[in-house]
Amino acid sequence: MSAPSRIRTTPRRGRRILAWAVAVVVLVGAAAALAALAWSVAARTTAGQVDFSRPLAIPPLAESTIDADGRRVFDLRLQTGRTDFGLGRPTDTWGVNGPYLGPTLRAQRGEQVAVRVTNDVGESTTLHWHGMHLPPSMDGGPHQMIEPGGIWFPSWQVDQPAATLWYHPHLHGETAEHVYRGLAGMFLIDDPDAAPALPRNYGVDDLPVIVQDKSFTDDGQLDDGDPLFSPTGFLGDTILVNGTIGPYAEVTTETVRLRLLNASNARIYDFGLVDPDGRAHDFVLVGTDGGLLPAPVPGERVQLSPGERAEIVVSMTPGQDLVLRSFPPDLGGDFFSERFAGGDDTLDVLQLRAADTLAPSPALPHRLAPAPDLREEDAVTTRTFRLSGTAINGQDMDMNRIDEVVRLGTTELWEVTNADGIPHNFHVHDVQFQVVDVAGAAPPPELSGWKDTVYVAPGSVVRLIMRFTDYADPESPYMFHCHLLRHEDSGMMGQFVVVRPEDGVEPGSDPDVHASHGS
Ligand code: C2O
Ligand code: CU
Ligand code: CU
């Protein structure tokens, strides 16, 4: 009986195998097709396709008053609003003293400042002063939550070199969303005692350039969905500068200074200028995160990961048009992660239109600022930070755990390794650091000035040197973290306190922070 049954079952089994084979082929084919589709749409280019038809919005300079104690006081209200981006219908957004983004704060080195921050967004949030040297309780990190309807009133003395800093929310787990909705702005520090001849007329020859990528739904609302396979989180298809889509700026002077800020959640830009024939137009890099470079550095490109800034000076001839374009950044990863992290994207950002007659500009000085002078041999401690998965040194962010205890007045070496195959960067609160080396090599000119945020390529190591001065507080931590906001929110952040010897704080202890909301 076995033979006939075998004869009967063989075709059936054969059909089953065939059916499975077909199913497998179809599934593999569909997966391959999907992957191929994702691969092909993952590379975007808008080069030459943006019709720069809207004048670049310039965030107003924030008004301030001098109070009885001589402090410069700013008022910031975090609010919800609706913004007309020119999409045919308004978009629900958040902003500071307006519907989207916020005013530019400006203060001088040596001044006491105070900021009255009112939270009217209907959710708890915070406001952090990125790049500012200040006491940790004034820092606006995750421990300084402002309740809905609440007011937070930090104050501190500005004491650091002239620089382009910025502010943004910093609540644990939702920074990406709050920044994406529109809470961010610039904070410029001037130093009248050390002011080389650079363009300095705000909004005329000294332009804030806050670059963000967004996506919009069909009905004009902000879409924060991550693209397929993105290892870094949100990447948008539309570039906004200061909240303007397709912006142009009229240039009326021979040179113009652009203060570039990457205020995007995850996108890494490699900025360059092109003329209408697509030829590269050189610029001069004059500043990075924490201040001016020792000397101007002529160049063609400057790459900025989220949180980083660069100040460049562009020379123009009468009637000339230039486009600020982001070229495919060098992320230093494998081809797969590069592509899905935006590494193959080319994006037009801003058009500069020179008038037919240009007012004369000062020639660039040869020296701009003292070079950072921290020396490796002065470091009393070397700390290592390994970025991997959603963790630093194997641990996800815990608000109730102090990760590092730093002695006030000391210099330290921080060695940061990206142990992943995907992009990360590294930001430290309170200090500006100096890059000692990148993968063992001396830093390039764009990393030779003061920095507070630095890109760390997959598999690479950066060594940073920094000095912790002025502010010790055993109960209130500063943060260090990856500034790709999805990574930060999902745990790639840690806390350090700066203490005096007698404070006796141990790593691993609970900060026991006295949350400083209300006023
Ligand atoms: Cu721009 Cu910890 O932040
Ligand atoms: Cu910061
Ligand atoms: Cu990261």
Side-chain angles (χ1 to χ4, degrees):
M1 285 304 285
S2 61
S5 85
R6 212 156 44 227
I7 290 161
R8 275 201 310 275
T9 56
T10 301
R12 203 188 294 161
R13 194 206 267 159
R15 277 200 301 275
R16 214 178 293 143
I17 291 170
L18 185 65
W20 272 110
V22 168
V24 167
V25 166
V26 167
L27 281 175
V28 168
L34 188 66
L37 180 68
W39 176 264
S40 64
V41 301
R44 303 180 182 284
T45 180
T46 63
Q49 293 163 27
V50 174
D51 60 340
F52 297 101
S53 56
R54 298 184 186 91
L56 175 69
I58 301 293
L61 288 172
E63 286 171 16
S64 58
T65 53
I66 304 295
D67 74 3
D69 300 326
R71 301 182 305 181
R72 182 175 296 283
V73 183
F74 297 95
D75 263 290
L76 297 183
R77 193 170 77 93
L78 315 182
Q79 58 169 89
T80 62
R82 313 190 82 192
T83 302
D84 180 4
F85 289 113
L87 300 171
R89 60 188 90 190
T91 305
D92 295 323
T93 52
W94 288 5
V96 184
N97 298 356
Y100 188 74
L101 294 180
T104 297
L105 277 60
R106 191 153 206 177
Q108 288 188 358
R109 184 171 197 169
E111 272 187 318
Q112 292 287 152
V113 298
V115 192
R116 189 180 293 105
V117 183
T118 307
N119 176 8
D120 279 338
V121 295
E123 291 178 29
S124 295
T125 190
T126 81
L127 205 61
H128 164 59
W129 320 105
H130 180 128
M132 194 77 74
H133 175 50
L134 77 185
S137 58
M138 308 296 168
D139 192 37
H143 294 281
Q144 286 94 43
M145 290 292 272
I146 318 170
E147 305 300 326
I151 293 173
W152 180 55
F153 200 13
S155 67
W156 67 95
Q157 183 178 30
V158 172
D159 189 13
Q160 63 193 91
T164 302
L165 312 183
W166 67 300
Y167 58 87
H168 63 79
H170 208 308
L171 65 169
H172 187 40
E174 281 163 282
T175 292
E177 189 185 328
H178 286 204
V179 173
Y180 186 70
R181 290 181 183 181
L183 298 183
M186 272 190 184
F187 198 136
L188 307 184
I189 295 178
D190 298 311
D191 185 351
D193 296 331
L198 290 172
R200 62 179 67 258
N201 197 348
Y202 182 80
V204 178
D205 62 4
D206 183 356
L207 305 179
V209 179
I210 304 172
V211 184
Q212 300 176 301
D213 58 336
K214 305 282 174 199
S215 290
F216 293 92
T217 61
D218 290 338
D219 59 352
Q221 296 307 308
L222 287 171
D223 179 353
D224 64 0
D226 292 356
L228 208 55
F229 304 132
S230 168
T232 51
F234 177 79
L235 294 168
D237 55 14
T238 305
I239 300 296
L240 280 66
V241 181
N242 304 343
T244 310
I245 297 174
Y248 66 87
E250 306 267 18
V251 174
T252 56
T253 49
E254 290 170 349
T255 68
V256 62
R257 174 190 197 169
L258 304 181
R259 298 181 188 252
L260 304 171
L261 160 62
N262 182 350
S264 304
N265 285 33
R267 190 176 282 289
I268 298 162
Y269 302 91
D270 191 16
F271 293 110
L273 290 156
V274 289
D275 69 13
D277 299 321
R279 280 188 305 249
H281 181 93
D282 281 9
F283 55 76
V284 181
L285 182 69
V286 295
T288 55
D289 302 341
L292 297 172
L293 291 173
V297 179
E300 250 182 45
R301 298 283 173 81
V302 60
Q303 185 164 314
L304 296 182
S305 66
E308 288 185 286
R309 288 86 69 207
E311 297 186 29
I312 63 174
V313 174
V314 182
S315 299
M316 299 190 72
T317 52
Q320 189 178 37
D321 285 347
L322 295 173
V323 169
L324 179 71
R325 176 173 291 169
S326 177
F327 292 88
D330 178 11
L331 304 182
D334 60 68
F335 70 105
F336 190 85
S337 73
E338 287 249 342
R339 184 154 189 123
F340 290 105
D344 292 340
D345 295 355
T346 306
L347 299 160
D348 276 0
V349 176
L350 167 70
Q351 186 185 45
L352 300 177
R353 297 183 187 167
D356 290 333
T357 51
L358 298 175
S361 299
L364 276 183
H366 296 294
R367 305 297 308 164
L368 296 170
D373 55 355
L374 299 177
R375 297 180 313 164
E376 223 180 305
E377 53 270 32
D378 294 336
V380 296
T381 308
T382 299
R383 296 178 198 269
T384 55
F385 299 88
R386 194 168 174 279
L387 312 181
S388 176
T390 60
I392 301 179
N393 292 339
Q395 290 192 296
D396 280 8
M397 164 74 174
D398 181 346
M399 297 268 290
N400 299 314
R401 184 191 68 234
I402 295 296
D403 297 285
E404 310 290 338
V405 178
V406 171
R407 183 73 62 82
L408 179 69
T410 60
T411 301
E412 296 201 353
L413 206 60
W414 287 23
E415 183 177 301
V416 184
T417 303
N418 178 350
D420 276 338
I422 61 169
H424 293 299
N425 71 6
F426 195 74
H427 168 51
V428 186
H429 288 211
D430 181 39
V431 294
Q432 292 291 332
F433 54 72
Q434 189 179 338
V435 178
V436 176
D437 48 33
V438 178
E446 67 270 24
L447 298 181
S448 65
W450 292 114
K451 295 283 294 170
D452 57 50
T453 307
V454 66
Y455 183 65
V456 193
S460 188
V461 185
V462 298
R463 293 198 308 147
L464 315 171
I465 191 164
M466 61 201 85
R467 187 165 170 78
F468 298 87
T469 58
D470 300 321
Y471 309 114
D473 185 343
E475 292 183 335
S476 199
Y478 295 106
M479 305 293 133
F480 55 86
H481 57 92
C482 175
H483 214 291
L484 277 60
L485 301 183
R486 161 62 50 83
H487 294 172
E488 173 184 340
D489 279 343
S490 51
M492 193 170 272
M493 178 155 68
Q495 312 192 92
F496 70 97
V497 287
V498 179
V499 301
R500 295 189 169 83
E502 62 271 23
D503 290 329
V505 182
E506 295 298 325
S509 62
D510 190 315
D512 187 34
V513 165
H514 309 292
S516 54
H517 47 74
S519 70

